[in-house]
PDB file of all heavy atoms in Angstrom:
ATOM      1  N   ARG A   1     -14.143  -2.531  15.450  1.00 91.00           N
ATOM      2  CA  ARG A   1     -14.554  -2.255  14.086  1.00 91.00           C
ATOM      3  C   ARG A   1     -14.267  -0.808  13.687  1.00 91.00           C
ATOM      4  O   ARG A   1     -13.879  -0.522  12.557  1.00 91.00           O
ATOM      5  CB  ARG A   1     -16.028  -2.577  13.935  1.00 91.00           C
ATOM      6  CG  ARG A   1     -16.567  -2.405  12.498  1.00 91.00           C
ATOM      7  CD  ARG A   1     -17.966  -2.947  12.346  1.00 91.00           C
ATOM      8  NE  ARG A   1     -18.447  -2.791  10.985  1.00 91.00           N
ATOM      9  CZ  ARG A   1     -19.119  -1.720  10.571  1.00 91.00           C
ATOM     10  NH1 ARG A   1     -19.394  -0.744  11.436  1.00 91.00           N
ATOM     11  NH2 ARG A   1     -19.532  -1.616   9.323  1.00 91.00           N
ATOM     12  N   ALA A   2     -14.458   0.143  14.603  1.00 91.00           N
ATOM     13  CA  ALA A   2     -14.229   1.547  14.286  1.00 91.00           C
ATOM     14  C   ALA A   2     -12.761   1.805  13.954  1.00 91.00           C
ATOM     15  O   ALA A   2     -12.465   2.540  13.015  1.00 91.00           O
ATOM     16  CB  ALA A   2     -14.664   2.424  15.481  1.00 91.00           C
ATOM     17  N   ILE A   3     -11.849   1.183  14.677  1.00 91.00           N
ATOM     18  CA  ILE A   3     -10.418   1.338  14.401  1.00 91.00           C
ATOM     19  C   ILE A   3     -10.069   0.707  13.059  1.00 91.00           C
ATOM     20  O   ILE A   3      -9.290   1.284  12.234  1.00 91.00           O
ATOM     21  CB  ILE A   3      -9.574   0.695  15.513  1.00 91.00           C
ATOM     22  CG1 ILE A   3      -9.948   1.260  16.873  1.00 91.00           C
ATOM     23  CG2 ILE A   3      -8.110   0.874  15.219  1.00 91.00           C
ATOM     24  CD1 ILE A   3      -9.525   2.663  17.128  1.00 91.00           C
ATOM     25  N   HIS A   4     -10.633  -0.458  12.775  1.00 91.00           N
ATOM     26  CA  HIS A   4     -10.351  -1.160  11.507  1.00 91.00           C
ATOM     27  C   HIS A   4     -10.857  -0.321  10.326  1.00 91.00           C
ATOM     28  O   HIS A   4     -10.149  -0.175   9.299  1.00 91.00           O
ATOM     29  CB  HIS A   4     -11.034  -2.511  11.524  1.00 91.00           C
ATOM     30  CG  HIS A   4     -10.801  -3.333  10.275  1.00 91.00           C
ATOM     31  ND1 HIS A   4      -9.676  -4.060  10.078  1.00 91.00           N
ATOM     32  CD2 HIS A   4     -11.574  -3.486   9.171  1.00 91.00           C
ATOM     33  CE1 HIS A   4      -9.734  -4.627   8.869  1.00 91.00           C
ATOM     34  NE2 HIS A   4     -10.869  -4.313   8.306  1.00 91.00           N
ATOM     35  N   LEU A   5     -12.037   0.228  10.407  1.00 92.00           N
ATOM     36  CA  LEU A   5     -12.586   1.038   9.299  1.00 92.00           C
ATOM     37  C   LEU A   5     -11.757   2.303   9.097  1.00 92.00           C
ATOM     38  O   LEU A   5     -11.534   2.735   7.964  1.00 92.00           O
ATOM     39  CB  LEU A   5     -14.046   1.389   9.576  1.00 92.00           C
ATOM     40  CG  LEU A   5     -15.050   0.224   9.551  1.00 92.00           C
ATOM     41  CD1 LEU A   5     -16.431   0.743   9.929  1.00 92.00           C
ATOM     42  CD2 LEU A   5     -15.078  -0.415   8.165  1.00 92.00           C
ATOM     43  N   TYR A   6     -11.311   2.914  10.190  1.00 93.00           N
ATOM     44  CA  TYR A   6     -10.519   4.140  10.098  1.00 93.00           C
ATOM     45  C   TYR A   6      -9.188   3.835   9.378  1.00 93.00           C
ATOM     46  O   TYR A   6      -8.771   4.595   8.478  1.00 93.00           O
ATOM     47  CB  TYR A   6     -10.259   4.717  11.483  1.00 93.00           C
ATOM     48  CG  TYR A   6      -9.399   5.946  11.467  1.00 93.00           C
ATOM     49  CD1 TYR A   6      -9.979   7.190  11.237  1.00 93.00           C
ATOM     50  CD2 TYR A   6      -8.034   5.866  11.679  1.00 93.00           C
ATOM     51  CE1 TYR A   6      -9.185   8.345  11.229  1.00 93.00           C
ATOM     52  CE2 TYR A   6      -7.252   7.013  11.665  1.00 93.00           C
ATOM     53  CZ  TYR A   6      -7.844   8.244  11.437  1.00 93.00           C
ATOM     54  OH  TYR A   6      -7.023   9.358  11.418  1.00 93.00           O
ATOM     55  N   ASN A   7      -8.517   2.752   9.765  1.00 91.00           N
ATOM     56  CA  ASN A   7      -7.250   2.406   9.108  1.00 91.00           C
ATOM     57  C   ASN A   7      -7.424   2.033   7.651  1.00 91.00           C
ATOM     58  O   ASN A   7      -6.512   2.241   6.818  1.00 91.00           O
ATOM     59  CB  ASN A   7      -6.600   1.214   9.845  1.00 91.00           C
ATOM     60  CG  ASN A   7      -6.156   1.585  11.249  1.00 91.00           C
ATOM     61  OD1 ASN A   7      -5.893   2.775  11.539  1.00 91.00           O
ATOM     62  ND2 ASN A   7      -6.100   0.605  12.128  1.00 91.00           N
ATOM     63  N   LYS A   8      -8.578   1.524   7.285  1.00 92.00           N
ATOM     64  CA  LYS A   8      -8.803   1.057   5.926  1.00 92.00           C
ATOM     65  C   LYS A   8      -9.142   2.195   4.967  1.00 92.00           C
ATOM     66  O   LYS A   8      -8.702   2.189   3.822  1.00 92.00           O
ATOM     67  CB  LYS A   8      -9.934   0.017   5.926  1.00 92.00           C
ATOM     68  CG  LYS A   8     -10.182  -0.636   4.575  1.00 92.00           C
ATOM     69  CD  LYS A   8     -11.253  -1.713   4.662  1.00 92.00           C
ATOM     70  CE  LYS A   8     -11.490  -2.370   3.292  1.00 92.00           C
ATOM     71  NZ  LYS A   8     -12.538  -3.430   3.381  1.00 92.00           N
ATOM     72  N   TYR A   9      -9.937   3.157   5.399  1.00 93.00           N
ATOM     73  CA  TYR A   9     -10.495   4.165   4.508  1.00 93.00           C
ATOM     74  C   TYR A   9      -9.948   5.569   4.702  1.00 93.00           C
ATOM     75  O   TYR A   9     -10.349   6.481   3.984  1.00 93.00           O
ATOM     76  CB  TYR A   9     -12.007   4.210   4.634  1.00 93.00           C
ATOM     77  CG  TYR A   9     -12.690   2.920   4.226  1.00 93.00           C
ATOM     78  CD1 TYR A   9     -13.324   2.103   5.156  1.00 93.00           C
ATOM     79  CD2 TYR A   9     -12.713   2.514   2.907  1.00 93.00           C
ATOM     80  CE1 TYR A   9     -13.935   0.922   4.793  1.00 93.00           C
ATOM     81  CE2 TYR A   9     -13.309   1.324   2.514  1.00 93.00           C
ATOM     82  CZ  TYR A   9     -13.942   0.544   3.483  1.00 93.00           C
ATOM     83  OH  TYR A   9     -14.549  -0.606   3.087  1.00 93.00           O
ATOM     84  N   MET A  10      -9.064   5.799   5.670  1.00 93.00           N
ATOM     85  CA  MET A  10      -8.623   7.136   5.974  1.00 93.00           C
ATOM     86  C   MET A  10      -7.578   7.654   5.003  1.00 93.00           C
ATOM     87  O   MET A  10      -7.386   8.845   4.820  1.00 93.00           O
ATOM     88  CB  MET A  10      -8.087   7.208   7.414  1.00 93.00           C
ATOM     89  CG  MET A  10      -7.557   8.549   7.841  1.00 93.00           C
ATOM     90  SD  MET A  10      -8.732   9.885   7.596  1.00 93.00           S
ATOM     91  CE  MET A  10      -7.684  11.302   7.618  1.00 93.00           C
ATOM     92  N   GLY A  11      -6.856   6.787   4.296  1.00 90.00           N
ATOM     93  CA  GLY A  11      -5.663   7.202   3.530  1.00 90.00           C
ATOM     94  C   GLY A  11      -5.932   7.702   2.162  1.00 90.00           C
ATOM     95  O   GLY A  11      -5.029   7.691   1.298  1.00 90.00           O
ATOM     96  N   GLY A  12      -7.143   8.153   1.818  1.00 93.00           N
ATOM     97  CA  GLY A  12      -7.440   8.626   0.464  1.00 93.00           C
ATOM     98  C   GLY A  12      -6.619   9.840   0.057  1.00 93.00           C
ATOM     99  O   GLY A  12      -6.097   9.910  -1.045  1.00 93.00           O
ATOM    100  N   VAL A  13      -6.499  10.799   0.959  1.00 94.00           N
ATOM    101  CA  VAL A  13      -5.737  12.031   0.666  1.00 94.00           C
ATOM    102  C   VAL A  13      -4.277  11.665   0.499  1.00 94.00           C
ATOM    103  O   VAL A  13      -3.557  12.259  -0.338  1.00 94.00           O
ATOM    104  CB  VAL A  13      -5.969  13.085   1.748  1.00 94.00           C
ATOM    105  CG1 VAL A  13      -5.162  14.347   1.452  1.00 94.00           C
ATOM    106  CG2 VAL A  13      -7.451  13.435   1.828  1.00 94.00           C
ATOM    107  N   ASP A  14      -3.759  10.773   1.338  1.00 93.00           N
ATOM    108  CA  ASP A  14      -2.344  10.379   1.229  1.00 93.00           C
ATOM    109  C   ASP A  14      -2.061   9.679  -0.087  1.00 93.00           C
ATOM    110  O   ASP A  14      -0.981   9.851  -0.687  1.00 93.00           O
ATOM    111  CB  ASP A  14      -1.984   9.476   2.404  1.00 93.00           C
ATOM    112  CG  ASP A  14      -2.024  10.184   3.714  1.00 93.00           C
ATOM    113  OD1 ASP A  14      -1.848  11.430   3.745  1.00 93.00           O
ATOM    114  OD2 ASP A  14      -2.268   9.545   4.773  1.00 93.00           O
ATOM    115  N   ILE A  15      -2.994   8.865  -0.557  1.00 93.00           N
ATOM    116  CA  ILE A  15      -2.841   8.192  -1.862  1.00 93.00           C
ATOM    117  C   ILE A  15      -2.791   9.240  -2.985  1.00 93.00           C
ATOM    118  O   ILE A  15      -1.954   9.161  -3.879  1.00 93.00           O
ATOM    119  CB  ILE A  15      -3.992   7.201  -2.113  1.00 93.00           C
ATOM    120  CG1 ILE A  15      -3.882   6.050  -1.109  1.00 93.00           C
ATOM    121  CG2 ILE A  15      -3.963   6.658  -3.531  1.00 93.00           C
ATOM    122  CD1 ILE A  15      -5.062   5.091  -1.151  1.00 93.00           C
ATOM    123  N   HIS A  16      -3.686  10.213  -2.929  1.00 94.00           N
ATOM    124  CA  HIS A  16      -3.720  11.269  -3.941  1.00 94.00           C
ATOM    125  C   HIS A  16      -2.402  12.063  -3.896  1.00 94.00           C
ATOM    126  O   HIS A  16      -1.836  12.412  -4.967  1.00 94.00           O
ATOM    127  CB  HIS A  16      -4.897  12.197  -3.709  1.00 94.00           C
ATOM    128  CG  HIS A  16      -5.012  13.290  -4.706  1.00 94.00           C
ATOM    129  ND1 HIS A  16      -5.666  13.128  -5.912  1.00 94.00           N
ATOM    130  CD2 HIS A  16      -4.583  14.566  -4.688  1.00 94.00           C
ATOM    131  CE1 HIS A  16      -5.616  14.243  -6.597  1.00 94.00           C
ATOM    132  NE2 HIS A  16      -4.963  15.145  -5.886  1.00 94.00           N
ATOM    133  N   ASP A  17      -1.944  12.390  -2.704  1.00 93.00           N
ATOM    134  CA  ASP A  17      -0.683  13.148  -2.575  1.00 93.00           C
ATOM    135  C   ASP A  17       0.505  12.356  -3.097  1.00 93.00           C
ATOM    136  O   ASP A  17       1.424  12.906  -3.718  1.00 93.00           O
ATOM    137  CB  ASP A  17      -0.501  13.524  -1.094  1.00 93.00           C
ATOM    138  CG  ASP A  17       0.573  14.571  -0.890  1.00 93.00           C
ATOM    139  OD1 ASP A  17       0.896  15.274  -1.870  1.00 93.00           O
ATOM    140  OD2 ASP A  17       1.088  14.708   0.216  1.00 93.00           O
ATOM    141  N   MET A  18       0.494  11.063  -2.875  1.00 92.00           N
ATOM    142  CA  MET A  18       1.594  10.190  -3.368  1.00 92.00           C
ATOM    143  C   MET A  18       1.643  10.198  -4.883  1.00 92.00           C
ATOM    144  O   MET A  18       2.719  10.311  -5.491  1.00 92.00           O
ATOM    145  CB  MET A  18       1.401   8.771  -2.845  1.00 92.00           C
ATOM    146  CG  MET A  18       2.459   7.769  -3.323  1.00 92.00           C
ATOM    147  SD  MET A  18       2.007   6.071  -2.911  1.00 92.00           S
ATOM    148  CE  MET A  18       0.566   5.850  -3.964  1.00 92.00           C
ATOM    149  N   HIS A  19       0.469  10.102  -5.546  1.00 92.00           N
ATOM    150  CA  HIS A  19       0.429  10.129  -7.006  1.00 92.00           C
ATOM    151  C   HIS A  19       0.895  11.482  -7.521  1.00 92.00           C
ATOM    152  O   HIS A  19       1.586  11.555  -8.571  1.00 92.00           O
ATOM    153  CB  HIS A  19      -0.988   9.831  -7.505  1.00 92.00           C
ATOM    154  CG  HIS A  19      -1.387   8.395  -7.361  1.00 92.00           C
ATOM    155  ND1 HIS A  19      -0.584   7.358  -7.779  1.00 92.00           N
ATOM    156  CD2 HIS A  19      -2.509   7.826  -6.868  1.00 92.00           C
ATOM    157  CE1 HIS A  19      -1.199   6.225  -7.530  1.00 92.00           C
ATOM    158  NE2 HIS A  19      -2.382   6.465  -6.978  1.00 92.00           N
ATOM    159  N   CYS A  20       0.516  12.557  -6.864  1.00 92.00           N
ATOM    160  CA  CYS A  20       0.939  13.886  -7.294  1.00 92.00           C
ATOM    161  C   CYS A  20       2.451  14.045  -7.180  1.00 92.00           C
ATOM    162  O   CYS A  20       3.067  14.692  -8.043  1.00 92.00           O
ATOM    163  CB  CYS A  20       0.224  14.954  -6.482  1.00 92.00           C
ATOM    164  SG  CYS A  20      -1.532  15.136  -6.846  1.00 92.00           S
ATOM    165  N   ASN A  21       3.048  13.512  -6.146  1.00 91.00           N
ATOM    166  CA  ASN A  21       4.491  13.604  -5.989  1.00 91.00           C
ATOM    167  C   ASN A  21       5.232  12.802  -7.043  1.00 91.00           C
ATOM    168  O   ASN A  21       6.361  13.133  -7.404  1.00 91.00           O
ATOM    169  CB  ASN A  21       4.895  13.095  -4.600  1.00 91.00           C
ATOM    170  CG  ASN A  21       4.494  14.052  -3.501  1.00 91.00           C
ATOM    171  OD1 ASN A  21       4.352  15.257  -3.733  1.00 91.00           O
ATOM    172  ND2 ASN A  21       4.234  13.532  -2.321  1.00 91.00           N
ATOM    173  N   ASN A  22       4.593  11.767  -7.596  1.00 91.00           N
ATOM    174  CA  ASN A  22       5.208  10.997  -8.696  1.00 91.00           C
ATOM    175  C   ASN A  22       5.194  11.805 -10.014  1.00 91.00           C
ATOM    176  O   ASN A  22       5.920  11.433 -10.933  1.00 91.00           O
ATOM    177  CB  ASN A  22       4.477   9.685  -8.903  1.00 91.00           C
ATOM    178  CG  ASN A  22       4.682   8.729  -7.744  1.00 91.00           C
ATOM    179  OD1 ASN A  22       5.674   8.819  -7.024  1.00 91.00           O
ATOM    180  ND2 ASN A  22       3.745   7.829  -7.543  1.00 91.00           N
ATOM    181  N   LEU A  23       4.372  12.848 -10.077  1.00 91.00           N
ATOM    182  CA  LEU A  23       4.262  13.645 -11.291  1.00 91.00           C
ATOM    183  C   LEU A  23       4.857  15.050 -11.111  1.00 91.00           C
ATOM    184  O   LEU A  23       4.440  15.997 -11.770  1.00 91.00           O
ATOM    185  CB  LEU A  23       2.774  13.786 -11.677  1.00 91.00           C
ATOM    186  CG  LEU A  23       2.046  12.501 -12.022  1.00 91.00           C
ATOM    187  CD1 LEU A  23       0.562  12.744 -12.134  1.00 91.00           C
ATOM    188  CD2 LEU A  23       2.579  11.897 -13.294  1.00 91.00           C
ATOM    189  N   LEU A  24       5.831  15.175 -10.235  1.00 91.00           N
ATOM    190  CA  LEU A  24       6.422  16.481  -9.934  1.00 91.00           C
ATOM    191  C   LEU A  24       7.328  16.902 -11.066  1.00 91.00           C
ATOM    192  O   LEU A  24       8.380  16.277 -11.337  1.00 91.00           O
ATOM    193  CB  LEU A  24       7.205  16.401  -8.641  1.00 91.00           C
ATOM    194  CG  LEU A  24       7.727  17.737  -8.078  1.00 91.00           C
ATOM    195  CD1 LEU A  24       6.571  18.668  -7.733  1.00 91.00           C
ATOM    196  CD2 LEU A  24       8.623  17.505  -6.882  1.00 91.00           C
ATOM    197  N   PRO A  25       7.009  17.971 -11.804  1.00 92.00           N
ATOM    198  CA  PRO A  25       7.867  18.419 -12.934  1.00 92.00           C
ATOM    199  C   PRO A  25       9.105  19.130 -12.418  1.00 92.00           C
ATOM    200  O   PRO A  25       9.119  19.721 -11.325  1.00 92.00           O
ATOM    201  CB  PRO A  25       6.939  19.335 -13.723  1.00 92.00           C
ATOM    202  CG  PRO A  25       6.002  19.890 -12.701  1.00 92.00           C
ATOM    203  CD  PRO A  25       5.767  18.794 -11.691  1.00 92.00           C
ATOM    204  N   CYS A  26      10.157  19.116 -13.224  1.00 92.00           N
ATOM    205  CA  CYS A  26      11.387  19.795 -12.841  1.00 92.00           C
ATOM    206  C   CYS A  26      11.387  21.259 -13.291  1.00 92.00           C
ATOM    207  O   CYS A  26      12.276  22.003 -12.951  1.00 92.00           O
ATOM    208  CB  CYS A  26      12.580  19.073 -13.408  1.00 92.00           C
ATOM    209  SG  CYS A  26      12.658  19.053 -15.226  1.00 92.00           S
ATOM    210  N   ILE A  27      10.371  21.685 -14.047  1.00 92.00           N
ATOM    211  CA  ILE A  27      10.235  23.089 -14.448  1.00 92.00           C
ATOM    212  C   ILE A  27       9.559  23.838 -13.314  1.00 92.00           C
ATOM    213  O   ILE A  27       8.421  23.530 -12.952  1.00 92.00           O
ATOM    214  CB  ILE A  27       9.416  23.206 -15.756  1.00 92.00           C
ATOM    215  CG1 ILE A  27      10.187  22.549 -16.908  1.00 92.00           C
ATOM    216  CG2 ILE A  27       9.131  24.672 -16.084  1.00 92.00           C
ATOM    217  CD1 ILE A  27       9.438  22.572 -18.216  1.00 92.00           C
ATOM    218  N   ARG A  28      10.235  24.817 -12.749  1.00 89.00           N
ATOM    219  CA  ARG A  28       9.756  25.520 -11.571  1.00 89.00           C
ATOM    220  C   ARG A  28       9.724  27.009 -11.843  1.00 89.00           C
ATOM    221  O   ARG A  28      10.173  27.503 -12.858  1.00 89.00           O
ATOM    222  CB  ARG A  28      10.618  25.188 -10.372  1.00 89.00           C
ATOM    223  CG  ARG A  28      10.684  23.691 -10.028  1.00 89.00           C
ATOM    224  CD  ARG A  28      11.682  23.392  -8.987  1.00 89.00           C
ATOM    225  NE  ARG A  28      11.833  21.965  -8.738  1.00 89.00           N
ATOM    226  CZ  ARG A  28      12.750  21.438  -7.961  1.00 89.00           C
ATOM    227  NH1 ARG A  28      13.631  22.196  -7.318  1.00 89.00           N
ATOM    228  NH2 ARG A  28      12.815  20.116  -7.807  1.00 89.00           N
ATOM    229  N   ALA A  29       9.159  27.738 -10.857  1.00 90.00           N
ATOM    230  CA  ALA A  29       9.090  29.182 -10.934  1.00 90.00           C
ATOM    231  C   ALA A  29       9.121  29.769  -9.519  1.00 90.00           C
ATOM    232  O   ALA A  29       8.867  29.048  -8.559  1.00 90.00           O
ATOM    233  CB  ALA A  29       7.821  29.633 -11.687  1.00 90.00           C
ATOM    234  N   LYS A  30       9.397  31.036  -9.414  1.00 88.00           N
ATOM    235  CA  LYS A  30       9.462  31.680  -8.113  1.00 88.00           C
ATOM    236  C   LYS A  30       8.076  32.118  -7.584  1.00 88.00           C
ATOM    237  O   LYS A  30       7.941  32.395  -6.401  1.00 88.00           O
ATOM    238  CB  LYS A  30      10.381  32.919  -8.185  1.00 88.00           C
ATOM    239  CG  LYS A  30      11.832  32.583  -8.461  1.00 88.00           C
ATOM    240  CD  LYS A  30      12.710  33.813  -8.463  1.00 88.00           C
ATOM    241  CE  LYS A  30      14.179  33.428  -8.707  1.00 88.00           C
ATOM    242  NZ  LYS A  30      15.037  34.659  -8.717  1.00 88.00           N
TER     243      LYS A  30
END
């Protein structure tokens, strides 16, 4: 059960990072 819960709920930060990468603007700065 511990392995199953870890695989199910651990990816919250990865989901947020994936959404942010979909909104990457092409306007950049140094």
Side-chain angles (χ1 to χ4, degrees):
R1 183 171 180 269
I3 305 289
H4 180 82
L5 292 176
Y6 179 85
N7 293 335
K8 185 176 181 181
Y9 296 112
M10 178 54 198
V13 179
D14 294 333
I15 293 174
H16 182 84
D17 194 20
M18 178 190 66
H19 287 312
C20 289
N21 290 332
N22 291 336
L23 297 170
L24 187 64
C26 64
I27 295 178
R28 302 172 185 173
K30 294 183 179 180

